[in-house]
Amino acid sequence: MTTGSYMPQLKSSAPPKPHARLEKWIWILIYAGLFLFILGIATGRSEAVTGWLLAAPGAIAVAVGVVLIYVRSRFNDPK
């Protein structure tokens, strides 16, 4: 910390995560997919076709996110 500053200097010696982009997309797919799936179920009560058009891609996005979690677990992290 410098004199007169309340914010500490952030000097991380840790290297950046090599798979950070993949991990970001995993969670984007899972959460957006769940949102679309729930929105499709709620919409399906009044408009069945629109509900299916929302729920099906949402379920696919969640499935892809879960598969990517498995793929990420098989990567070897550099130490």
Side-chain angles (χ1 to χ4, degrees):
M1 230 159 111
T2 61
T3 306
S5 173
Y6 296 105
M7 296 296 294
Q9 294 294 327
L10 300 176
K11 294 181 182 178
S12 176
S13 62
K17 294 174 74 173
H19 305 295
R21 182 179 293 165
L22 176 62
E23 291 175 8
K24 177 181 71 171
W25 277 104
I26 288 170
W27 295 112
I28 288 172
L29 284 170
I30 289 175
Y31 284 120
L34 285 173
F35 178 74
L36 276 177
F37 184 71
I38 297 301
L39 189 62
I41 290 174
T43 305
R45 293 182 179 191
S46 60
E47 292 287 331
V49 174
T50 306
W52 276 105
L53 288 175
L54 290 172
I60 292 169
V62 171
V64 169
V66 170
V67 168
L68 285 178
I69 287 176
Y70 175 76
V71 169
R72 171 64 184 96
S73 73
R74 307 317 281 159
F75 286 164
N76 291 327
D77 288 329
K79 300 255 174 168

